[in-house]
């Protein structure tokens, strides 16, 4: 699963980049432009990418670069406009400097994708008011602790001082974020009312524990102490760094989150309704653009809704087959309840249960990696870890998600799972989740992209929703083709995630185009998915506040399956699954129309 649009916008012309992207620690120098047009264009892309990300210190840190290391970015509307202006200027410059007809086919594709990335950024900036400042997964300020803990490396005293400087900068960021929330409140660009029951408690967690009170250490305080303790420096310097960090947490950090909480409280009083974005000014046009952004297609909400209904019906029939196979005689809905309530399908709701879940996930991924070369020509070199979501963000975190690695391996790819309540976790769903988020899903696709040194950075970091999430959903089936899911309940778990993604097509369009209520959406989910009640509520809330994103999974998967069938039909015995996967992955994330053109060329070449 991918993260919010705010950081996407901050990446300038890399507007399609993931906010958890990663990059080598040092920015490569740019030599004088060579005569060769392709090399000149590559140098231009590198320069433009660095200009864009340098506008966001947080993005630089996620990229593994220590520039602006003690700073936090500009969270104002003016900052977003500045990022767009830079991208527009770079696009003009590219068109002036290069003759597309003189480029190789590979460079022509990068040239075109650069222009499309700016067009996407233009659209997202147009809708900045309609895009909620606070969603069911949090707001801008909530991402800072995650960045500090997971991305801010402390290899020197200067790095620790930069960490403390960022703690101090939270107060200024809070003023900007709070002012934006207040402006939206005044203009009535309000999120659904339920958002605040998730976001406010997580924000309050940022002021709990030592050094704020006598409770266990706050996670950021734990992190800073651990990183300072590992430094090779004298005890007096370490004591000074920790004293400065404690003062910053109890001072600027506390005041920042207190101001943020006040702004959230004021907005929560004004936000009394629960509607899709159709209720916002120009809501229908906004939703159409978000569907186009996430699916990279011209599909209408009505078309997507219809496809969702058809896919739900198809998967239900496959589920009925497994239900009969295991000898269950009740309805499919009754079988859902059987699986959700039978103790053999649950882990114990304690630390031992959590540890066993993580161990099982690692085993599943390890077993797949042993046979992965039967389905792939190239395997990712970057490491993958399985971790539980940190307690301080469990309320707003998704069920499971992937955080991508640094290309140099200094930060691994991370498959995160939300284990806050083990009664809500089902064993039959673990295998399919591990394939989607880890291997051969997001880790294979994203790591492969990051490792492609011949691609411009804006393409290695590109975010194309339907491609990325479509690949994750497609990868779930690869586990079955590799010989896993031998237990019928595991296979039922696989189908339970597929029908969940099919239901998303119905729900997202139902909420935002057909004016479904939250109760309608919850009822549809309960009747058609195996998810726990907690996950059903969390997912529906996410669909309300991130319009269009939930459509990307099934739309992307269906296109990849369509292209695979097209290649198999055209090539017959010449079809090679490993070569097909290589063609899909080696050019990085792509819009679906570009992917289709690429597969057509692959078919022509194999013929």
């Amino acid at each position: 699963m991918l993260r919010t649009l705010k950081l996407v916008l901050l990446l300038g012309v890399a507007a399609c980049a993931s906010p958890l992207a990663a990059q080598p620690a040092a920015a490569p120098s740019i030599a004088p432009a060579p005569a060769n047009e392709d090399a000149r264009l590559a140098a231009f892309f590198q320069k433009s990418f660095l200009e864009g990300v340098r506008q966001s210190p947080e993005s630089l840190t996620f990229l593994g670069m220590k520039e602006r290391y003690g700073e936090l970015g500009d969270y104002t509307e003016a900052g977003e406009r500045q990022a767009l202006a830079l991208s527009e200027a770079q696009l003009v410059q590219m068109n002036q400097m290069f003759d597309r007809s003189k480029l190789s086919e590979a460079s022509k594709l990068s040239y075109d994708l650069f222009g499309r990335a700016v067009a996407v950024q233009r659209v997202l900036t147009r809708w900045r008011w309609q895009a909620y400042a606070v969603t069911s997964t949090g707001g801008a300020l909530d991402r800072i602790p995650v960045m500090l803990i997971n991305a801010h490396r402390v290899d020197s005293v200067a790095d620790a001082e930069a960490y403390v400087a960022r703690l101090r900068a939270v107060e200024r960021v809070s003023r900007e974020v709070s002012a934006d929330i207040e402006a939206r409140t005044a203009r009535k660009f309000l999120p659904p009312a339920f958002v605040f029951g998730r976001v406010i408690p997580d924000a309050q967690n940022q002021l709990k524990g030592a050094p704020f009170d006598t409770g266990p250490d706050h996670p950021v305080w734990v992190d800073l102490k651990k990183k300072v303790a590992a430094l090779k420096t004298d005890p007096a310097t370490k004591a000074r760094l920790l004293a400065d960090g404690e003062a910053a947490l109890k001072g600027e950090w506390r005041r920042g989150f207190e101001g943020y909480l006040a702004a959230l409280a004021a907005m929560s009083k004004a936000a009394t309704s629960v509607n899709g974005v159709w209720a916002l000014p120009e809501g229908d046009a906004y939703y159409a653009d978000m569907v186009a952004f996430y699916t990279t297609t011209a599909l209408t909400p009505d078309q997507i809704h219809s496809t969702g209904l058809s896919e739900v019906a198809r998967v239900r029939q496959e589920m009925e087959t497994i239900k009969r196979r295991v000898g269950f005689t009740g309805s499919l809905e009754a079988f859902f309840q059987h699986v959700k309530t039978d103790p053999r399908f649950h882990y114990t709701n304690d630390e031992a249960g959590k540890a066993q879940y993580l161990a099982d996930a690692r085993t599943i991924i390890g077993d797949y990696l042993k046979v992965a070369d039967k389905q792939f020509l190239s395997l990712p070199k970057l490491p993958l870890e399985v971790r539980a979501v940190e307690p301080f963000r469990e309320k707003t975190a998704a069920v499971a998600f992937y955080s991508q690695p640094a290309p140099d391996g200094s930060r691994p790819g991370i498959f995160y799972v939300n284990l806050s309540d083990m009664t809500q976790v089902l064993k039959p769903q673990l295998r399919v989740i591990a394939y989607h988020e880890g291997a051969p899903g997001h880790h294979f696709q994203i790591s492969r992209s990051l490792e492609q040194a011949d691609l411009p950075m804006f393409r290695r970091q590109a975010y194309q929703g339907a491609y990325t999430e479509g690949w994750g959903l497609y990868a779930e089936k690869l586990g079955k083709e590799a010989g896993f899911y031998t237990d019928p309940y595991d296979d039922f778990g696989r189908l339970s995630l597929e029908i969940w993604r099919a239901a998303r097509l119905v729900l997202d369009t139902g909420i935002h185009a057909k004016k479904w209520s939250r109760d309608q959406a919850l009822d549809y989910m309960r009747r058609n998915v195996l998810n726990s009640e907690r996950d059903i509520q969390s997912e529906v809330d996410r669909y309300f506040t991130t319009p269009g994103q939930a459509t990307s999974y099934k739309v992307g998967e269906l296109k990849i399956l369509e292209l695979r069938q097209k290649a198999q039909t055209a090539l017959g015995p010449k079809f090679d699954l490993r070569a097909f996967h290589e063609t899909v992955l080696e050019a990085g994330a792509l819009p679906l129309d570009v992917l289709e053109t690429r597969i057509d060329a692959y078919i022509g070449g194999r013929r």
Side-chain angles (χ1 to χ4, degrees):
M1 169 186 171
L2 301 170
R3 315 316 280 159
T4 61
L5 296 182
K6 183 72 76 174
L7 278 177
V8 171
L9 287 169
L10 288 172
L11 284 175
V13 81
C16 295
S18 162
L20 297 184
Q23 178 85 343
S29 59
I30 301 174
N36 179 277
E37 284 294 286
D38 288 352
R40 286 182 60 237
L41 184 65
F44 169 82
F45 285 147
Q46 180 68 11
K47 176 176 178 291
S48 298
F49 181 84
L50 292 173
E51 286 175 346
V53 298
R54 281 175 177 140
Q55 293 187 321
S56 167
E58 295 88 333
S59 297
L60 289 166
T61 299
F62 278 118
L63 293 168
M65 300 163 64
K66 291 187 177 181
E67 296 183 41
R68 302 187 67 187
Y69 210 40
E71 301 177 46
L72 296 176
D74 185 333
Y75 285 72
T76 65
E77 181 182 9
E80 292 179 10
R81 299 290 178 186
Q82 183 181 1
L84 177 61
L86 173 62
S87 299
E88 296 282 15
Q90 290 171 342
L91 179 60
V92 169
Q93 188 179 20
M94 181 184 74
N95 290 333
Q96 291 174 342
M97 289 177 60
F98 300 96
D99 182 344
R100 186 181 182 280
S101 66
K102 295 180 180 179
L103 299 171
S104 67
E105 291 305 310
S107 290
K108 285 178 182 176
L109 177 56
S110 294
Y111 183 101
D112 295 342
L113 289 173
F114 190 93
R116 286 177 70 152
V118 177
V120 166
Q121 189 179 359
R122 197 179 296 140
V123 169
L124 296 179
T125 303
R126 174 194 172 192
W127 297 116
R128 65 99 52 194
W129 288 102
Q130 281 79 357
Y132 298 126
V134 184
T135 74
S136 66
T137 58
L141 212 62
D142 302 298
R143 293 188 288 273
I144 292 174
V146 180
M147 181 272 296
L148 288 169
I149 293 169
N150 289 343
H152 187 113
R153 304 195 318 274
V154 175
D155 304 315
S156 67
V157 171
D159 292 346
E161 291 170 340
Y163 194 116
V164 174
R166 282 179 153 167
L167 298 179
R168 295 190 182 112
V170 164
E171 185 172 20
R172 188 265 304 166
V173 171
S174 172
R175 286 196 298 269
E176 295 176 356
V177 171
S178 298
D180 182 59
I181 290 173
E182 289 162 3
R184 291 169 184 272
T185 302
R187 296 176 63 166
K188 301 190 184 306
F189 284 95
L190 301 167
F194 59 74
V195 162
F196 302 95
R198 297 181 180 278
V199 176
I200 288 177
D202 271 6
Q204 289 170 334
N205 285 339
Q206 301 305 330
L207 298 176
K208 292 180 179 178
F212 309 110
D213 55 40
T214 58
D217 284 354
H218 182 280
V220 170
W221 186 225
V222 170
D223 184 60
L224 180 59
K225 290 200 293 187
K226 178 182 177 181
K227 289 172 177 175
V228 168
L231 285 175
K232 295 180 179 179
T233 189
D234 59 275
T237 299
K238 292 183 179 181
R240 173 181 63 82
L241 291 170
L242 291 180
D244 290 347
E246 180 176 3
L249 285 167
K250 294 165 76 172
E252 292 92 339
W253 177 282
R254 182 199 292 273
R255 291 194 295 272
F257 273 96
E258 286 174 344
Y260 177 54
L261 282 163
L264 290 176
M267 180 178 264
S268 71
K269 292 178 182 177
T272 57
S273 62
V274 176
N275 293 312
V277 296
W278 57 266
L280 297 174
E282 299 183 87
D284 290 341
Y286 168 55
Y287 182 57
D289 276 352
M290 289 303 96
V291 167
F293 167 66
Y294 282 113
T295 68
T296 64
T297 71
L299 292 170
T300 67
D302 279 346
Q303 289 173 314
I304 291 172
H305 192 84
S306 178
T307 298
L309 291 172
S310 175
E311 282 293 288
V312 167
R314 178 187 62 79
V315 179
R316 283 182 69 96
Q317 288 303 310
E318 293 190 38
M319 296 177 114
E320 289 280 1
T321 300
I322 292 179
K323 184 196 75 173
R324 290 191 295 270
R325 178 182 168 192
V326 300
F328 191 88
T329 57
S331 68
L332 188 58
E333 288 75 11
F335 190 54
F336 285 164
Q337 282 303 114
H338 164 65
V339 175
K340 287 198 279 189
T341 56
D342 191 320
R344 64 180 161 146
F345 299 129
H346 287 271
Y347 292 88
T348 56
N349 191 22
D350 52 24
E351 291 305 312
K354 294 179 182 181
Q356 189 60 55
Y357 183 103
L358 296 173
D360 289 350
R362 293 175 186 125
T363 298
I364 288 168
I365 289 171
D367 287 345
Y368 178 80
L369 290 174
K370 293 174 185 176
V371 301
D373 59 357
K374 296 179 181 179
Q375 295 180 325
F376 293 90
L377 291 173
S378 301
L379 301 182
K381 302 176 182 65
L382 294 165
L384 171 65
E385 292 184 7
V386 183
R387 298 182 190 175
V389 169
E390 303 89 346
F392 71 85
R393 56 172 175 153
E394 287 175 337
K395 281 191 178 295
T396 52
V399 177
F401 56 95
Y402 176 76
S403 172
Q404 67 190 56
D408 62 3
S410 61
R411 185 176 70 250
I414 304 169
F415 158 30
Y416 275 108
V417 287
N418 193 334
L419 302 180
S420 57
D421 182 356
M422 296 302 291
T423 66
Q424 307 290 296
V425 174
L426 292 175
K427 288 183 179 180
Q429 291 184 325
L430 170 54
R431 181 175 296 278
V432 64
I433 291 172
Y435 292 152
H436 182 108
E437 303 295 349
H442 286 325
H443 185 66
F444 269 41
Q445 181 262 308
I446 292 172
S447 293
R448 184 68 202 283
S449 181
L450 293 174
E451 291 167 2
Q452 296 293 81
D454 58 329
L455 292 180
M457 284 309 307
F458 84 92
R459 286 185 58 187
R460 279 186 261 172
Q461 305 288 349
Y463 169 63
Q464 305 287 352
Y467 175 99
T468 301
E469 296 298 356
W471 175 265
L473 183 49
Y474 169 79
E476 296 171 10
K477 285 186 171 68
L478 294 180
K480 185 173 178 66
E481 293 175 7
F484 299 104
Y485 300 112
T486 54
D487 185 311
Y489 285 101
D490 277 355
D491 204 24
F492 191 80
R494 176 185 67 82
L495 291 173
S496 77
L497 261 70
E498 184 175 6
I499 200 168
W500 172 24
R501 276 48 178 271
R504 283 174 168 175
L505 300 183
V506 180
L507 289 160
D508 198 284
T509 53
I511 289 165
H512 298 295
K514 298 183 181 298
K515 302 184 180 181
W516 281 19
S517 70
R518 186 171 183 269
D519 285 342
Q520 279 179 280
L522 290 170
D523 179 64
Y524 187 84
M525 279 278 274
R526 290 176 184 131
R527 286 188 283 111
N528 288 290
V529 305
L530 184 63
N531 300 51
S532 70
E533 181 61 23
R534 180 201 66 178
D535 291 347
I536 286 172
Q537 301 248 359
S538 175
E539 283 294 306
V540 166
D541 290 353
R542 182 160 74 89
Y543 309 152
F544 266 94
T545 58
T546 315
Q549 194 274 337
T551 66
S552 59
Y553 301 74
K554 248 305 172 177
V555 168
E557 182 227 19
L558 289 172
K559 175 56 71 172
I560 294 171
L561 288 172
E562 173 196 319
L563 295 176
R564 174 172 161 172
Q565 184 59 54
K566 183 179 185 180
Q568 287 178 292
T569 301
L571 298 177
K574 291 184 178 180
F575 177 77
D576 181 342
L577 181 62
R578 300 193 307 161
F580 173 78
H581 288 158
E582 184 76 3
T583 305
V584 171
L585 295 178
E586 68 180 348
L590 297 169
L592 294 184
D593 62 314
V594 177
L595 177 63
E596 182 161 15
T597 299
R598 181 172 176 80
I599 296 301
D600 287 343
Y602 155 75
I603 292 170
R606 295 289 288 185
R607 278 175 170 166

